[in-house]
Amino acid sequence: MTAKTATKIWIDADACPVAIKEILFKAADRTQTQTILVANHALQIPPSQYINFIQVMPGFDVADNEIIRQLKMGDLVISSDIPLADEAITKGAIALSPRGELFTAGNIKAKLSMRDFMDIIRSSGVQTGGPSPLSQADRQSFANHLDRWLNHKT
């Protein structure tokens, strides 16, 4: 088996922006990389032998757990979910947010701490606002990291 067929892209698809999915769909076909979307609601995917969809039951972290269950060392996980990214890194995978932020063993624990801190702030009633809209710079950063991973794995 070649590296090209051994590694896969796993997408935490419930919250992945459409623009990022489109980048991933094009990359999957262009590089013949198996790409699997996991979500707890039905999704439309383009016809491709390289793009698949797994629908899981509704529930907290069900999609995340399915990704972790099937994930292999060297695979790429696309998610903004920091605990999922942490688990993926622990299994030897690469984790990339849809905004182009690469999660690594060197930065994931600090990101988990910040996430937990912000949860405490929000639960005390402080309004922290949501994330800003996905920008062109975010899309470009994502595409650049994706291309580096795709070129590294071949």
Side-chain angles (χ1 to χ4, degrees):
M1 185 181 298
T2 66
K4 204 173 219 183
T5 57
T7 55
K8 297 178 181 175
I9 298 173
W10 294 91
I11 305 169
D12 182 7
D14 284 319
C16 187
V18 172
I20 298 304
K21 288 178 194 168
E22 290 170 358
I23 291 169
L24 288 159
F25 295 156
K26 289 175 187 170
D29 283 330
R30 183 182 78 245
T31 63
Q32 301 178 354
T33 302
Q34 288 299 313
T35 301
I36 303 99
L37 293 90
V38 182
N40 60 24
H41 64 280
L43 295 175
Q44 292 285 46
I45 61 170
S48 170
Q49 66 183 19
Y50 304 107
I51 302 168
N52 297 294
F53 170 60
I54 298 172
Q55 185 171 357
V56 296
M57 298 298 294
F60 185 72
D61 285 345
V62 176
D64 297 358
N65 293 338
E66 182 63 19
I67 290 170
I68 292 300
R69 188 180 73 74
Q70 294 199 42
L71 190 64
K72 303 283 188 254
M73 183 179 287
D75 285 354
L76 176 64
V77 174
I78 309 301
S79 179
S80 56
D81 184 305
I82 295 171
L84 172 58
D86 182 42
E87 286 188 71
I89 291 166
T90 299
K91 282 192 80 171
I94 308 298
L96 178 62
S97 84
R99 292 181 178 272
E101 183 175 15
L102 187 64
F103 299 116
T104 66
N107 70 15
I108 195 67
K109 298 304 181 193
K111 295 200 177 293
L112 274 170
S113 293
M114 181 56 76
R115 174 196 171 272
D116 293 344
F117 174 72
M118 294 304 290
D119 280 349
I120 291 168
I121 296 292
R122 282 188 291 272
S123 68
S124 71
V126 174
Q127 296 296 319
T128 59
S132 60
L134 190 70
S135 71
Q136 185 58 39
D138 294 333
R139 286 190 277 269
Q140 188 62 53
S141 178
F142 177 84
N144 289 343
H145 279 294
L146 178 63
D147 282 344
R148 278 194 289 281
W149 181 82
L150 289 166
N151 289 328
H152 180 262
K153 75 175 191 74
T154 57

